[in-house]
Amino acid sequence: MSTTNYQSKAIELDENDELAPFRDRFVNNNVIYLDGNSLGKLPKKSIETLQHLVTEQWGNRLIRAWNEHWLSLSKRTAAKIAQLVGAQADEIFVGDSTSVNLYKLAFAALHFQKHKSEIVSDSTNFPTDLYVLEGLIKNNFNAHKLHILDPKDGITILEDDLRKAINPNTALVCLSHVLYKSAFMFDMKKITDLAHQHGALTLWDLSHATGAVPIQLNASNADLAVGCTYKYLNGGPGAPAFLYVRKDLQAQLTNPIWAWFSHQKPFDFSPNYSESIDIQRFATSTPTILSIAPIEIGVDVFLEAGMTNIRAKSVQQSQFLLAMIQDLLVPKGFHIASPLDVAQRGSHISIQHPEGYRINKALITPSDGSTPIIPDFRPPQNIRLGIAPLYNSYMDLYQCVLRILKIMETKEYETHSKELVGVS
Ligand SMILES: *Cc1c(COP(=O)(O)O)cnc(C)c1O
């Protein structure tokens, strides 16, 4: 199909898009933003809410605001996240970071399964997840072994390989539901069943899945999970993460950090530790109110739009984008580094090119006066095109491909340095 045909198609799809009105909920700043899988956009409502929170609640009400507003914020936000990930309200805790929550839950699982000594993960998992597991082995569980699976085609982790790796000595299977580089998506229920057949626990990292695909933690019988709120959920830079512990496991697992907010009665100020019996057991500290408040606003938009509708648009957008990539970019030397099967894919698409880093730079800082386009780059060659259906249009995707074609034609990328600097 010609570029003009794709353009008319994009216009038509945008006109029929029922989620299009949600674009206006976010601050628009004259860039085409395809990086919502790394840092989500700013919801307009967050500006107003934070302003009120700082000046009125903190400024005027001071410590009285804890009882008036803040003590209920974490639980209310957790209950809303629970709806998005198919869990019960009392199975989710909001706070700390993804890495810290992963550490707490992996430690708890390994401690609980002391008689078993193997952990299964994969080499394309997010680096922090692998570091946390390696650190636990080095510092706490010396006799344990980390079994790291490799993807077959650079993208797919075969179910058969997992079947071979998981055995009666497996304590924990720790995987990202959607992989950050390729967007490959595991079948959560199938793999959880497989782990359970051997008495292993599952710990899912939902960072690239939450807000991107419908998640069914309860229906999958998942044991443990962690996830990020500053990506698709638009919670703001460094916003706290969440964790999930299945109800029946909560009283059996121990938080390695005994802190006052995991105590049954923190405000008794008792010198003796007494572990909370519910999800609060996995908390640590005073809730970070200023950074939890925008999470609630981000999640509210998802609940209003409906995760099923969001996924339907994400699928249609990624199919549209893939068709253009196959038709127009593959002949220019690009390689598709995400699964072609939509059932195995989250909401971003990776394309590879030996000049990927400089092409990504040319997209972000155009020399022809065109609108900047912001995807991101992941070494060695991946340009990740993140699709956030709440604010991305079909036209955004069309313009991105058109611009890449122009960059290739003019070799504009050659004006950029090959040296990797900062966050890209
Ligand atoms: C973004 C991301 C993280 C982030 O971890 P932090 O501790 O919050 O910085 C962790 N895991 C995965 C899979 C991610 O995509």
Side-chain angles (χ1 to χ4, degrees), residues 37-38 96-102 124-129 132 175-180 205-209 226-231 238-241 384:
N37 53 321
S38 202
D96 295 332
S97 67
T98 308
S99 306
V100 170
N101 285 334
L102 192 86
T124 58
N125 202 349
F126 200 79
T128 204
D129 299 46
V132 164
L175 299 169
S176 288
H177 184 31
V178 172
L179 290 168
Y180 82 103
D205 188 330
L206 305 177
S207 296
H208 268 78
V226 296
C228 194
T229 65
Y230 53 77
K231 295 175 178 164
R384 299 191 310 167

PDB file of all heavy atoms in Angstrom, residues 37-38 96-102 124-129 132 175-180 205-209 226-231 238-241 384, ligand 1:
ATOM      1  N   ASN A  37       5.345   3.745  27.425  1.00  0.00           N
ATOM      2  CA  ASN A  37       5.740   2.521  28.113  1.00  0.00           C
ATOM      3  C   ASN A  37       6.975   2.753  28.983  1.00  0.00           C
ATOM      4  O   ASN A  37       7.431   1.845  29.670  1.00  0.00           O
ATOM      5  CB  ASN A  37       6.014   1.397  27.097  1.00  0.00           C
ATOM      6  CG  ASN A  37       7.003   1.807  26.028  1.00  0.00           C
ATOM      7  OD1 ASN A  37       6.971   2.938  25.552  1.00  0.00           O
ATOM      8  ND2 ASN A  37       7.885   0.913  25.659  1.00  0.00           N
ATOM      9  N   SER A  38       7.508   3.974  28.958  1.00  0.00           N
ATOM     10  CA  SER A  38       8.680   4.270  29.777  1.00  0.00           C
ATOM     11  C   SER A  38       8.354   5.359  30.800  1.00  0.00           C
ATOM     12  O   SER A  38       8.653   5.219  31.986  1.00  0.00           O
ATOM     13  CB  SER A  38       9.828   4.723  28.871  1.00  0.00           C
ATOM     14  OG  SER A  38      11.050   4.531  29.502  1.00  0.00           O
ATOM     15  N   ASP A  96       6.805   1.895  47.847  1.00  0.00           N
ATOM     16  CA  ASP A  96       8.161   1.469  47.478  1.00  0.00           C
ATOM     17  C   ASP A  96       8.327   1.429  45.948  1.00  0.00           C
ATOM     18  O   ASP A  96       7.456   1.847  45.221  1.00  0.00           O
ATOM     19  CB  ASP A  96       8.522   0.121  48.123  1.00  0.00           C
ATOM     20  CG  ASP A  96       8.582   0.209  49.647  1.00  0.00           C
ATOM     21  OD1 ASP A  96       8.869   1.295  50.166  1.00  0.00           O
ATOM     22  OD2 ASP A  96       8.337  -0.820  50.327  1.00  0.00           O
ATOM     23  N   SER A  97       9.448   0.896  45.496  1.00  0.00           N
ATOM     24  CA  SER A  97       9.686   0.841  44.048  1.00  0.00           C
ATOM     25  C   SER A  97       9.497  -0.595  43.562  1.00  0.00           C
ATOM     26  O   SER A  97       9.393  -1.523  44.366  1.00  0.00           O
ATOM     27  CB  SER A  97      11.116   1.290  43.752  1.00  0.00           C
ATOM     28  OG  SER A  97      12.008   0.332  44.285  1.00  0.00           O
ATOM     29  N   THR A  98       9.485  -0.761  42.261  1.00  0.00           N
ATOM     30  CA  THR A  98       9.346  -2.113  41.699  1.00  0.00           C
ATOM     31  C   THR A  98      10.485  -3.011  42.181  1.00  0.00           C
ATOM     32  O   THR A  98      10.254  -4.143  42.613  1.00  0.00           O
ATOM     33  CB  THR A  98       9.332  -2.046  40.161  1.00  0.00           C
ATOM     34  OG1 THR A  98       8.346  -1.088  39.753  1.00  0.00           O
ATOM     35  CG2 THR A  98       8.988  -3.387  39.549  1.00  0.00           C
ATOM     36  N   SER A  99      11.713  -2.490  42.116  1.00  0.00           N
ATOM     37  CA  SER A  99      12.863  -3.312  42.522  1.00  0.00           C
ATOM     38  C   SER A  99      12.769  -3.714  43.995  1.00  0.00           C
ATOM     39  O   SER A  99      13.029  -4.872  44.346  1.00  0.00           O
ATOM     40  CB  SER A  99      14.172  -2.551  42.299  1.00  0.00           C
ATOM     41  OG  SER A  99      14.267  -2.092  40.977  1.00  0.00           O
ATOM     42  N   VAL A 100      12.411  -2.769  44.845  1.00  0.00           N
ATOM     43  CA  VAL A 100      12.312  -3.067  46.280  1.00  0.00           C
ATOM     44  C   VAL A 100      11.186  -4.081  46.529  1.00  0.00           C
ATOM     45  O   VAL A 100      11.357  -5.035  47.302  1.00  0.00           O
ATOM     46  CB  VAL A 100      12.082  -1.763  47.095  1.00  0.00           C
ATOM     47  CG1 VAL A 100      11.724  -2.072  48.541  1.00  0.00           C
ATOM     48  CG2 VAL A 100      13.335  -0.885  47.038  1.00  0.00           C
ATOM     49  N   ASN A 101      10.065  -3.900  45.864  1.00  0.00           N
ATOM     50  CA  ASN A 101       8.959  -4.859  46.037  1.00  0.00           C
ATOM     51  C   ASN A 101       9.335  -6.242  45.519  1.00  0.00           C
ATOM     52  O   ASN A 101       8.993  -7.261  46.113  1.00  0.00           O
ATOM     53  CB  ASN A 101       7.697  -4.343  45.334  1.00  0.00           C
ATOM     54  CG  ASN A 101       7.046  -3.210  46.112  1.00  0.00           C
ATOM     55  OD1 ASN A 101       7.209  -3.119  47.329  1.00  0.00           O
ATOM     56  ND2 ASN A 101       6.322  -2.347  45.427  1.00  0.00           N
ATOM     57  N   LEU A 102      10.070  -6.258  44.408  1.00  0.00           N
ATOM     58  CA  LEU A 102      10.520  -7.538  43.864  1.00  0.00           C
ATOM     59  C   LEU A 102      11.435  -8.230  44.869  1.00  0.00           C
ATOM     60  O   LEU A 102      11.331  -9.433  45.109  1.00  0.00           O
ATOM     61  CB  LEU A 102      11.245  -7.309  42.531  1.00  0.00           C
ATOM     62  CG  LEU A 102      11.506  -8.571  41.732  1.00  0.00           C
ATOM     63  CD1 LEU A 102      10.303  -8.917  40.867  1.00  0.00           C
ATOM     64  CD2 LEU A 102      12.728  -8.437  40.852  1.00  0.00           C
ATOM     65  N   THR A 124      16.100 -12.083  28.825  1.00  0.00           N
ATOM     66  CA  THR A 124      15.584 -10.812  28.321  1.00  0.00           C
ATOM     67  C   THR A 124      14.688 -10.114  29.353  1.00  0.00           C
ATOM     68  O   THR A 124      14.031  -9.124  29.037  1.00  0.00           O
ATOM     69  CB  THR A 124      14.810 -10.992  26.989  1.00  0.00           C
ATOM     70  OG1 THR A 124      13.743 -11.911  27.203  1.00  0.00           O
ATOM     71  CG2 THR A 124      15.702 -11.525  25.913  1.00  0.00           C
ATOM     72  N   ASN A 125      14.677 -10.647  30.568  1.00  0.00           N
ATOM     73  CA  ASN A 125      13.960  -9.978  31.652  1.00  0.00           C
ATOM     74  C   ASN A 125      14.617  -8.616  31.922  1.00  0.00           C
ATOM     75  O   ASN A 125      15.782  -8.400  31.588  1.00  0.00           O
ATOM     76  CB  ASN A 125      13.995 -10.855  32.910  1.00  0.00           C
ATOM     77  CG  ASN A 125      12.866 -10.517  33.876  1.00  0.00           C
ATOM     78  OD1 ASN A 125      12.174  -9.506  33.731  1.00  0.00           O
ATOM     79  ND2 ASN A 125      12.668 -11.360  34.878  1.00  0.00           N
ATOM     80  N   PHE A 126      13.880  -7.721  32.551  1.00  0.00           N
ATOM     81  CA  PHE A 126      14.418  -6.382  32.861  1.00  0.00           C
ATOM     82  C   PHE A 126      15.654  -6.550  33.759  1.00  0.00           C
ATOM     83  O   PHE A 126      15.616  -7.313  34.722  1.00  0.00           O
ATOM     84  CB  PHE A 126      13.337  -5.577  33.580  1.00  0.00           C
ATOM     85  CG  PHE A 126      13.552  -4.093  33.534  1.00  0.00           C
ATOM     86  CD1 PHE A 126      13.226  -3.357  32.406  1.00  0.00           C
ATOM     87  CD2 PHE A 126      14.067  -3.418  34.636  1.00  0.00           C
ATOM     88  CE1 PHE A 126      13.407  -1.981  32.360  1.00  0.00           C
ATOM     89  CE2 PHE A 126      14.259  -2.038  34.594  1.00  0.00           C
ATOM     90  CZ  PHE A 126      13.926  -1.322  33.457  1.00  0.00           C
ATOM     91  N   PRO A 127      16.752  -5.846  33.463  1.00  0.00           N
ATOM     92  CA  PRO A 127      17.985  -6.057  34.229  1.00  0.00           C
ATOM     93  C   PRO A 127      17.798  -6.010  35.746  1.00  0.00           C
ATOM     94  O   PRO A 127      18.356  -6.841  36.465  1.00  0.00           O
ATOM     95  CB  PRO A 127      18.901  -4.938  33.738  1.00  0.00           C
ATOM     96  CG  PRO A 127      18.425  -4.666  32.347  1.00  0.00           C
ATOM     97  CD  PRO A 127      16.946  -4.892  32.351  1.00  0.00           C
ATOM     98  N   THR A 128      17.007  -5.072  36.253  1.00  0.00           N
ATOM     99  CA  THR A 128      16.878  -4.963  37.713  1.00  0.00           C
ATOM    100  C   THR A 128      16.335  -6.264  38.317  1.00  0.00           C
ATOM    101  O   THR A 128      16.754  -6.681  39.398  1.00  0.00           O
ATOM    102  CB  THR A 128      16.011  -3.731  38.112  1.00  0.00           C
ATOM    103  OG1 THR A 128      16.347  -3.325  39.444  1.00  0.00           O
ATOM    104  CG2 THR A 128      14.515  -4.006  38.078  1.00  0.00           C
ATOM    105  N   ASP A 129      15.460  -6.936  37.604  1.00  0.00           N
ATOM    106  CA  ASP A 129      14.881  -8.187  38.107  1.00  0.00           C
ATOM    107  C   ASP A 129      15.970  -9.246  38.260  1.00  0.00           C
ATOM    108  O   ASP A 129      16.030  -9.967  39.257  1.00  0.00           O
ATOM    109  CB  ASP A 129      13.786  -8.704  37.173  1.00  0.00           C
ATOM    110  CG  ASP A 129      12.616  -7.718  37.044  1.00  0.00           C
ATOM    111  OD1 ASP A 129      12.877  -6.520  36.862  1.00  0.00           O
ATOM    112  OD2 ASP A 129      11.457  -8.151  37.137  1.00  0.00           O
ATOM    113  N   VAL A 132      18.332  -8.310  41.190  1.00  0.00           N
ATOM    114  CA  VAL A 132      17.724  -8.595  42.496  1.00  0.00           C
ATOM    115  C   VAL A 132      17.857 -10.094  42.813  1.00  0.00           C
ATOM    116  O   VAL A 132      18.245 -10.472  43.921  1.00  0.00           O
ATOM    117  CB  VAL A 132      16.235  -8.157  42.520  1.00  0.00           C
ATOM    118  CG1 VAL A 132      15.493  -8.786  43.685  1.00  0.00           C
ATOM    119  CG2 VAL A 132      16.131  -6.633  42.596  1.00  0.00           C
ATOM    120  N   LEU A 175       9.158 -13.959  36.221  1.00  0.00           N
ATOM    121  CA  LEU A 175       9.148 -13.506  34.827  1.00  0.00           C
ATOM    122  C   LEU A 175       8.412 -12.180  34.693  1.00  0.00           C
ATOM    123  O   LEU A 175       7.565 -11.857  35.525  1.00  0.00           O
ATOM    124  CB  LEU A 175       8.418 -14.544  33.947  1.00  0.00           C
ATOM    125  CG  LEU A 175       8.991 -15.958  33.884  1.00  0.00           C
ATOM    126  CD1 LEU A 175       7.997 -16.892  33.206  1.00  0.00           C
ATOM    127  CD2 LEU A 175      10.326 -15.984  33.147  1.00  0.00           C
ATOM    128  N   SER A 176       8.728 -11.447  33.641  1.00  0.00           N
ATOM    129  CA  SER A 176       7.939 -10.259  33.307  1.00  0.00           C
ATOM    130  C   SER A 176       6.795 -10.701  32.408  1.00  0.00           C
ATOM    131  O   SER A 176       7.028 -11.393  31.416  1.00  0.00           O
ATOM    132  CB  SER A 176       8.786  -9.229  32.564  1.00  0.00           C
ATOM    133  OG  SER A 176       9.702  -8.632  33.452  1.00  0.00           O
ATOM    134  N   HIS A 177       5.586 -10.300  32.760  1.00  0.00           N
ATOM    135  CA  HIS A 177       4.424 -10.723  31.964  1.00  0.00           C
ATOM    136  C   HIS A 177       4.584 -10.257  30.515  1.00  0.00           C
ATOM    137  O   HIS A 177       4.353 -11.020  29.581  1.00  0.00           O
ATOM    138  CB  HIS A 177       3.148 -10.143  32.601  1.00  0.00           C
ATOM    139  CG  HIS A 177       1.898 -10.574  31.937  1.00  0.00           C
ATOM    140  ND1 HIS A 177       1.741 -11.801  31.321  1.00  0.00           N
ATOM    141  CD2 HIS A 177       0.703  -9.948  31.793  1.00  0.00           C
ATOM    142  CE1 HIS A 177       0.516 -11.893  30.827  1.00  0.00           C
ATOM    143  NE2 HIS A 177      -0.124 -10.782  31.095  1.00  0.00           N
ATOM    144  N   VAL A 178       5.002  -8.990  30.331  1.00  0.00           N
ATOM    145  CA  VAL A 178       5.352  -8.473  29.004  1.00  0.00           C
ATOM    146  C   VAL A 178       6.811  -8.042  29.072  1.00  0.00           C
ATOM    147  O   VAL A 178       7.190  -7.259  29.947  1.00  0.00           O
ATOM    148  CB  VAL A 178       4.462  -7.262  28.612  1.00  0.00           C
ATOM    149  CG1 VAL A 178       4.964  -6.619  27.320  1.00  0.00           C
ATOM    150  CG2 VAL A 178       2.998  -7.683  28.456  1.00  0.00           C
ATOM    151  N   LEU A 179       7.632  -8.566  28.152  1.00  0.00           N
ATOM    152  CA  LEU A 179       9.062  -8.253  28.184  1.00  0.00           C
ATOM    153  C   LEU A 179       9.344  -6.848  27.661  1.00  0.00           C
ATOM    154  O   LEU A 179       8.750  -6.422  26.665  1.00  0.00           O
ATOM    155  CB  LEU A 179       9.847  -9.295  27.387  1.00  0.00           C
ATOM    156  CG  LEU A 179       9.890 -10.667  28.061  1.00  0.00           C
ATOM    157  CD1 LEU A 179      10.419 -11.737  27.113  1.00  0.00           C
ATOM    158  CD2 LEU A 179      10.743 -10.618  29.324  1.00  0.00           C
ATOM    159  N   TYR A 180      10.259  -6.158  28.348  1.00  0.00           N
ATOM    160  CA  TYR A 180      10.427  -4.730  28.063  1.00  0.00           C
ATOM    161  C   TYR A 180      11.000  -4.437  26.685  1.00  0.00           C
ATOM    162  O   TYR A 180      10.712  -3.407  26.103  1.00  0.00           O
ATOM    163  CB  TYR A 180      11.289  -4.062  29.152  1.00  0.00           C
ATOM    164  CG  TYR A 180      12.782  -4.221  28.976  1.00  0.00           C
ATOM    165  CD1 TYR A 180      13.567  -3.175  28.493  1.00  0.00           C
ATOM    166  CD2 TYR A 180      13.425  -5.415  29.264  1.00  0.00           C
ATOM    167  CE1 TYR A 180      14.936  -3.299  28.327  1.00  0.00           C
ATOM    168  CE2 TYR A 180      14.788  -5.562  29.102  1.00  0.00           C
ATOM    169  CZ  TYR A 180      15.544  -4.499  28.624  1.00  0.00           C
ATOM    170  OH  TYR A 180      16.890  -4.640  28.453  1.00  0.00           O
ATOM    171  N   ASP A 205       6.398  -9.777  37.091  1.00  0.00           N
ATOM    172  CA  ASP A 205       6.643  -8.333  37.011  1.00  0.00           C
ATOM    173  C   ASP A 205       5.695  -7.781  35.941  1.00  0.00           C
ATOM    174  O   ASP A 205       5.794  -8.130  34.765  1.00  0.00           O
ATOM    175  CB  ASP A 205       8.112  -8.065  36.653  1.00  0.00           C
ATOM    176  CG  ASP A 205       8.457  -6.577  36.756  1.00  0.00           C
ATOM    177  OD1 ASP A 205       7.551  -5.740  36.532  1.00  0.00           O
ATOM    178  OD2 ASP A 205       9.619  -6.259  37.059  1.00  0.00           O
ATOM    179  N   LEU A 206       4.786  -6.922  36.379  1.00  0.00           N
ATOM    180  CA  LEU A 206       3.729  -6.425  35.488  1.00  0.00           C
ATOM    181  C   LEU A 206       4.033  -5.035  34.932  1.00  0.00           C
ATOM    182  O   LEU A 206       3.149  -4.366  34.394  1.00  0.00           O
ATOM    183  CB  LEU A 206       2.397  -6.373  36.254  1.00  0.00           C
ATOM    184  CG  LEU A 206       1.950  -7.678  36.929  1.00  0.00           C
ATOM    185  CD1 LEU A 206       0.655  -7.450  37.714  1.00  0.00           C
ATOM    186  CD2 LEU A 206       1.738  -8.772  35.888  1.00  0.00           C
ATOM    187  N   SER A 207       5.287  -4.584  35.080  1.00  0.00           N
ATOM    188  CA  SER A 207       5.614  -3.195  34.729  1.00  0.00           C
ATOM    189  C   SER A 207       5.247  -2.805  33.301  1.00  0.00           C
ATOM    190  O   SER A 207       4.721  -1.724  33.071  1.00  0.00           O
ATOM    191  CB  SER A 207       7.101  -2.922  34.963  1.00  0.00           C
ATOM    192  OG  SER A 207       7.380  -3.046  36.334  1.00  0.00           O
ATOM    193  N   HIS A 208       5.529  -3.673  32.334  1.00  0.00           N
ATOM    194  CA  HIS A 208       5.201  -3.350  30.942  1.00  0.00           C
ATOM    195  C   HIS A 208       3.845  -3.907  30.521  1.00  0.00           C
ATOM    196  O   HIS A 208       3.488  -3.850  29.343  1.00  0.00           O
ATOM    197  CB  HIS A 208       6.309  -3.848  30.005  1.00  0.00           C
ATOM    198  CG  HIS A 208       7.357  -2.814  29.748  1.00  0.00           C
ATOM    199  ND1 HIS A 208       8.346  -2.526  30.661  1.00  0.00           N
ATOM    200  CD2 HIS A 208       7.533  -1.944  28.715  1.00  0.00           C
ATOM    201  CE1 HIS A 208       9.101  -1.553  30.189  1.00  0.00           C
ATOM    202  NE2 HIS A 208       8.634  -1.180  29.014  1.00  0.00           N
ATOM    203  N   ALA A 209       3.101  -4.423  31.487  1.00  0.00           N
ATOM    204  CA  ALA A 209       1.789  -5.013  31.178  1.00  0.00           C
ATOM    205  C   ALA A 209       0.643  -4.183  31.750  1.00  0.00           C
ATOM    206  O   ALA A 209      -0.418  -4.067  31.140  1.00  0.00           O
ATOM    207  CB  ALA A 209       1.729  -6.437  31.726  1.00  0.00           C
ATOM    208  N   VAL A 226       4.536  -7.781  41.041  1.00  0.00           N
ATOM    209  CA  VAL A 226       4.921  -6.390  41.299  1.00  0.00           C
ATOM    210  C   VAL A 226       4.656  -5.618  40.014  1.00  0.00           C
ATOM    211  O   VAL A 226       4.532  -6.211  38.946  1.00  0.00           O
ATOM    212  CB  VAL A 226       6.418  -6.252  41.668  1.00  0.00           C
ATOM    213  CG1 VAL A 226       6.732  -6.966  42.962  1.00  0.00           C
ATOM    214  CG2 VAL A 226       7.312  -6.763  40.534  1.00  0.00           C
ATOM    215  N   GLY A 227       4.580  -4.299  40.097  1.00  0.00           N
ATOM    216  CA  GLY A 227       4.356  -3.529  38.873  1.00  0.00           C
ATOM    217  C   GLY A 227       4.601  -2.056  39.077  1.00  0.00           C
ATOM    218  O   GLY A 227       4.615  -1.550  40.198  1.00  0.00           O
ATOM    219  N   CYS A 228       4.778  -1.405  37.950  1.00  0.00           N
ATOM    220  CA  CYS A 228       5.188  -0.019  37.889  1.00  0.00           C
ATOM    221  C   CYS A 228       3.969   0.870  37.616  1.00  0.00           C
ATOM    222  O   CYS A 228       3.045   0.457  36.942  1.00  0.00           O
ATOM    223  CB  CYS A 228       6.143   0.036  36.700  1.00  0.00           C
ATOM    224  SG  CYS A 228       7.108   1.479  36.601  1.00  0.00           S
ATOM    225  N   THR A 229       3.978   2.102  38.105  1.00  0.00           N
ATOM    226  CA  THR A 229       2.838   2.997  37.857  1.00  0.00           C
ATOM    227  C   THR A 229       3.217   4.229  37.031  1.00  0.00           C
ATOM    228  O   THR A 229       2.365   5.022  36.689  1.00  0.00           O
ATOM    229  CB  THR A 229       2.226   3.495  39.187  1.00  0.00           C
ATOM    230  OG1 THR A 229       3.191   4.316  39.861  1.00  0.00           O
ATOM    231  CG2 THR A 229       1.801   2.356  40.081  1.00  0.00           C
ATOM    232  N   TYR A 230       4.507   4.399  36.747  1.00  0.00           N
ATOM    233  CA  TYR A 230       4.890   5.610  36.005  1.00  0.00           C
ATOM    234  C   TYR A 230       4.972   5.390  34.508  1.00  0.00           C
ATOM    235  O   TYR A 230       5.278   6.298  33.757  1.00  0.00           O
ATOM    236  CB  TYR A 230       6.199   6.215  36.538  1.00  0.00           C
ATOM    237  CG  TYR A 230       7.396   5.279  36.623  1.00  0.00           C
ATOM    238  CD1 TYR A 230       8.120   4.934  35.496  1.00  0.00           C
ATOM    239  CD2 TYR A 230       7.803   4.759  37.853  1.00  0.00           C
ATOM    240  CE1 TYR A 230       9.216   4.083  35.579  1.00  0.00           C
ATOM    241  CE2 TYR A 230       8.894   3.915  37.955  1.00  0.00           C
ATOM    242  CZ  TYR A 230       9.601   3.582  36.814  1.00  0.00           C
ATOM    243  OH  TYR A 230      10.680   2.739  36.913  1.00  0.00           O
ATOM    244  N   LYS A 231       4.715   4.142  34.075  1.00  0.00           N
ATOM    245  CA  LYS A 231       4.729   3.866  32.634  1.00  0.00           C
ATOM    246  C   LYS A 231       3.323   4.101  32.081  1.00  0.00           C
ATOM    247  O   LYS A 231       2.843   5.226  32.106  1.00  0.00           O
ATOM    248  CB  LYS A 231       5.265   2.463  32.404  1.00  0.00           C
ATOM    249  CG  LYS A 231       6.723   2.379  32.838  1.00  0.00           C
ATOM    250  CD  LYS A 231       7.358   1.030  32.785  1.00  0.00           C
ATOM    251  CE  LYS A 231       8.813   1.152  33.210  1.00  0.00           C
ATOM    252  NZ  LYS A 231       9.408  -0.133  33.556  1.00  0.00           N
ATOM    253  N   GLY A 238       9.059   8.290  38.616  1.00  0.00           N
ATOM    254  CA  GLY A 238       9.440   7.628  39.861  1.00  0.00           C
ATOM    255  C   GLY A 238       8.288   7.348  40.811  1.00  0.00           C
ATOM    256  O   GLY A 238       8.507   7.065  41.991  1.00  0.00           O
ATOM    257  N   ALA A 239       7.069   7.408  40.323  1.00  0.00           N
ATOM    258  CA  ALA A 239       5.908   7.120  41.181  1.00  0.00           C
ATOM    259  C   ALA A 239       6.072   5.735  41.816  1.00  0.00           C
ATOM    260  O   ALA A 239       6.653   4.834  41.211  1.00  0.00           O
ATOM    261  CB  ALA A 239       4.623   7.191  40.374  1.00  0.00           C
ATOM    262  N   PRO A 240       5.564   5.549  43.042  1.00  0.00           N
ATOM    263  CA  PRO A 240       5.721   4.257  43.715  1.00  0.00           C
ATOM    264  C   PRO A 240       5.107   3.104  42.924  1.00  0.00           C
ATOM    265  O   PRO A 240       4.206   3.316  42.107  1.00  0.00           O
ATOM    266  CB  PRO A 240       4.960   4.452  45.026  1.00  0.00           C
ATOM    267  CG  PRO A 240       4.842   5.905  45.213  1.00  0.00           C
ATOM    268  CD  PRO A 240       4.851   6.524  43.863  1.00  0.00           C
ATOM    269  N   ALA A 241       5.603   1.928  43.214  1.00  0.00           N
ATOM    270  CA  ALA A 241       5.141   0.724  42.529  1.00  0.00           C
ATOM    271  C   ALA A 241       4.004   0.086  43.330  1.00  0.00           C
ATOM    272  O   ALA A 241       3.565   0.629  44.341  1.00  0.00           O
ATOM    273  CB  ALA A 241       6.311  -0.237  42.388  1.00  0.00           C
ATOM    274  N   ARG A 384      12.080   1.350  20.326  1.00  0.00           N
ATOM    275  CA  ARG A 384      10.787   0.864  20.833  1.00  0.00           C
ATOM    276  C   ARG A 384       9.714   1.908  20.534  1.00  0.00           C
ATOM    277  O   ARG A 384       9.837   3.072  20.915  1.00  0.00           O
ATOM    278  CB  ARG A 384      10.848   0.620  22.342  1.00  0.00           C
ATOM    279  CG  ARG A 384      11.861  -0.430  22.755  1.00  0.00           C
ATOM    280  CD  ARG A 384      11.682  -0.807  24.212  1.00  0.00           C
ATOM    281  NE  ARG A 384      11.630   0.361  25.082  1.00  0.00           N
ATOM    282  CZ  ARG A 384      11.247   0.327  26.347  1.00  0.00           C
ATOM    283  NH1 ARG A 384      10.848  -0.818  26.878  1.00  0.00           N
ATOM    284  NH2 ARG A 384      11.250   1.420  27.090  1.00  0.00           N
TER     285      ARG A 384
HETATM  286  C1  LIG B   1      10.356  -0.171  34.520  1.00  0.00           C
HETATM  287  C2  LIG B   1      10.572  -1.511  35.077  1.00  0.00           C
HETATM  288  C3  LIG B   1      11.088  -1.648  36.381  1.00  0.00           C
HETATM  289  C4  LIG B   1      11.445  -0.409  37.170  1.00  0.00           C
HETATM  290  O1  LIG B   1      11.956  -0.660  38.414  1.00  0.00           O
HETATM  291  P1  LIG B   1      12.105   0.524  39.480  1.00  0.00           P
HETATM  292  O2  LIG B   1      12.643  -0.152  40.657  1.00  0.00           O
HETATM  293  O3  LIG B   1      10.705   1.065  39.694  1.00  0.00           O
HETATM  294  O4  LIG B   1      12.981   1.570  38.897  1.00  0.00           O
HETATM  295  C5  LIG B   1      11.254  -2.926  36.861  1.00  0.00           C
HETATM  296  N1  LIG B   1      10.926  -4.018  36.118  1.00  0.00           N
HETATM  297  C6  LIG B   1      10.426  -3.902  34.872  1.00  0.00           C
HETATM  298  C7  LIG B   1      10.046  -5.126  34.089  1.00  0.00           C
HETATM  299  C8  LIG B   1      10.248  -2.646  34.307  1.00  0.00           C
HETATM  300  O5  LIG B   1       9.763  -2.528  33.070  1.00  0.00           O
END
